[in-house]
Amino acid sequence: MLSLQDSVRVLPGVGDKRLEALKDLGITTINDLLFHFPFRYEDMSVRHLDELIDQDKVTLKGVVLTTPVISFYGGKKNRLSFKMAIDEHIIGVYFFNQHYLKSRIVQGEEVVVFGKWEEKKQAILGMKLITPEKNTSQTFDAVYHVNKSIKQQTIIQLVKYALDEYEDLIMETMPKTLLQKYNFISLKQAIRAMHFPNSLQEHHIAKQRMIYQELFEYQFKLSQLKKERYTTETMPIAYDNQRIKAFVKQIPFELTNAQKRVSNDICRDLLSPFAMNRLLQGDVGSGKTVVASIGILAAIDAGYQVALMVPTEILAQQHFQTLSALLDKQGVRTVLLTSSTKLADRKVYLQQLEQGDVDLVIGTHALIQNDVYFKHLGLVIIDEQHRFGVMQRQLLKNKASVNNVLYMTATPIPRTLTMSMYGEMDVSIIDELPKGRQVVQTKWAKVESFDKVLDFTKKQIEQGRQAYFIAPLIEESQESDLQSAQALYDTIQDYYQGTITMALLHGKMKVQEKEDIMNNFSAGNIQLLVSTTVIEVGVNVPNATVMIIHDAERFGLAQLHQLRGRVGRGSYQSYCVLIASPKTQQGKERMKIMCESNDGFYLSQKDLEMRGGGDAFGAKQSGMPLLKCADLIRDVNVWQQVIEDVRLFLKDDTNKEYLLLKERLFDKMELV
Ligand code: ADP
Ligand code: MG
């Protein structure tokens, strides 16, 4: 009995060696092989001479002018050559080590050659000789991912065998209603057309189906995971609501409605007997920290510990200050644990954490070391979550006694993507900035007007404000025309002639040095800070009103927006100047968009539409599923549709198709 789960060993020509080679490609069963789709197709249609580009692989058709000549050299090597006429032109044709083709090349007859075009020699380096009658219409040859031990041709042959023998076993996996709704071809037809399309059109139709199917199955799994989470019980975190209310009352400002709403989301999660798995999204400056503090206090009030992990020392330091200021009065015992924590202190902290003598620990990767234990960790918070890998997040989660995780991000992911990308999480969005927050005025300037920018900055500083200047690189390198932070620092210092207190901050500095500088900047002792992008996340100095970004075209929209978010944090009007001379249309477009909008979500949507910006707003971050045909960004519209379809489909979970799908996909339930 044949089965799609048969080992590829059953195919002709597959012995131990090929079995290994196929395994390296992730192929062990017939089914794997059938789903090993080509990643592109070679266009085998005949081309005109005037559309050729040097070194392109092309198909040419002509008449054989001269009898092929074979020359042998260097042992077994040989070269077959002849001249071919294409209209009025004469080109050379060479085949290396394929002298056996000679009998098929007859003077005066038509011939079709696929190979590499050599512009200088006006010759084609033949790779394949094609029988003319086969090449009358457009043809496409599949190109597969291969490795050293297995050739294209072998894969093609194996897929052919597999299709011929097993094709009839390919069962439909998509629900009937959806097949009908979209008029999809059957899976069987689609798989054949993915490998051996007769036309571009046919390939397109097959691919559409496969894209839909992949997204459908992905979305199905997400929904399933979410559903499971709601049925996995954990200890509720039972805090005293009156106390939390009292705490919120004494915060020195009124929470925005959005902050209230998401705080409620978090508290509700804590109280519920199901694990919290929530993503808190809020643009820079939207006030996520204070929201976190509410969750933190609730967990601690209920007798649990809380761990807050952040990607950088500076950010850890800053959260430590902010949260201590908010929570010390509440009797919360907080420690800071990073890689620069002194060994003796670290030892004490670890002991306190293990014995439950510390309530809140704020730290970097230092928190996920093996020797860090908690007495009863009840809430894990991960800030700038996309900066951490899946494993790192998991490591911290594993230390918890009660599995509640809150992820925070200032990377605004387009709404269209959020729901789907984080489908297994609940999502809370802070979509409102605190009252009285000024909109940062953004201007785009050419390098030539840098003096004007400096004069403007000086005026701001004279009014008591502070400024950031961002340069992308730290050391002057010859390959790169990026202005180094050091050179920028020197230029600015020359210009101001010592009238302004400046400092330079870069990634290669010692942590202590960085901290000293940031503390001095916070305290107002430093008026102007020249920095590399190390200040990117989290830095909060409300008195800073000027952000000048050099070589702005080098940054993605997401990063520019993050950097700009360092100003406009207080009540003063703030400014951002993008110094850039972009060469591409898209580069110019991006500068314009930055000047137009302060809304991270709008920017992320634009970024999505423009794509290729190099930073698809977190969409490329870890946690993305491995999809073969579909692309979550390119196919976002299909995905939208899929989400709706899955929702409807799941409404009826007595549906036989649903049960079948669940069974089939169940062992592949993990997403990343
Ligand atoms: P982010 O969301 O970027 O992490 P923060 O939590 O650092 O933002 O908050 C940015 C600044 O806004 C902080 O100085 C904070 O004290 C202040 N802030 C937060 N919420 C409010 C509010 N509701 N009203 C006024 N200021 C607020
Ligand atoms: Mg923050």
Side-chain angles (χ1 to χ4, degrees), residues 292-352:
S293 78
I294 295 170
I296 291 170
L297 186 65
I300 292 171
D301 181 69
Y304 289 93
Q305 291 167 299
V306 179
L308 167 59
M309 183 161 73
V310 300
T312 65
E313 295 258 357
I314 291 185
L315 201 48
Q317 175 82 27
Q318 197 168 291
H319 271 324
F320 180 72
Q321 280 163 9
T322 314
L323 288 169
S324 298
L326 282 162
L327 295 169
D328 277 359
K329 297 180 292 257
Q330 303 293 321
V332 171
R333 296 161 296 180
T334 310
V335 293
L336 178 67
L337 189 65
T338 68
S339 50
S340 61
T341 302
K342 289 200 194 73
L343 268 176
D345 290 342
R346 179 182 153 87
K347 218 174 134 197
V348 174
Y349 296 164
L350 291 192
Q351 203 172 20
Q352 289 175 329

Side-chain angles (χ1 to χ4, degrees), residues 253-256 259 283-289 434 437 540 569:
F253 41 76
E254 165 90 9
L255 294 186
T256 62
Q259 282 173 317
D283 211 343
V284 280
S286 62
K288 292 183 290 296
T289 319
R437 202 48 70 73
N540 188 26
R569 304 196 134 230

Side-chain angles (χ1 to χ4, degrees), residues 20-77:
E20 242 348 270
L22 287 166
K23 202 174 157 199
D24 284 346
L25 293 170
I27 302 168
T28 53
T29 65
I30 299 290
N31 195 65
D32 297 336
L33 180 63
L34 292 178
F35 278 89
H36 185 71
F37 298 135
F39 69 96
R40 66 183 178 87
Y41 300 83
E42 204 102 75
D43 181 356
M44 304 293 283
S45 54
V46 173
R47 305 271 207 96
H48 287 288
L49 277 180
D50 53 14
E51 54 174 333
L52 302 188
I53 295 169
D54 190 33
Q55 303 298 311
D56 257 9
K57 286 181 192 161
V58 294
T59 304
L60 297 177
K61 181 154 120 182
V63 175
V64 180
L65 263 188
T66 60
T67 313
V69 178
I70 297 172
S71 43
F72 287 87
Y73 60 98
K76 284 194 180 130
K77 291 183 187 157

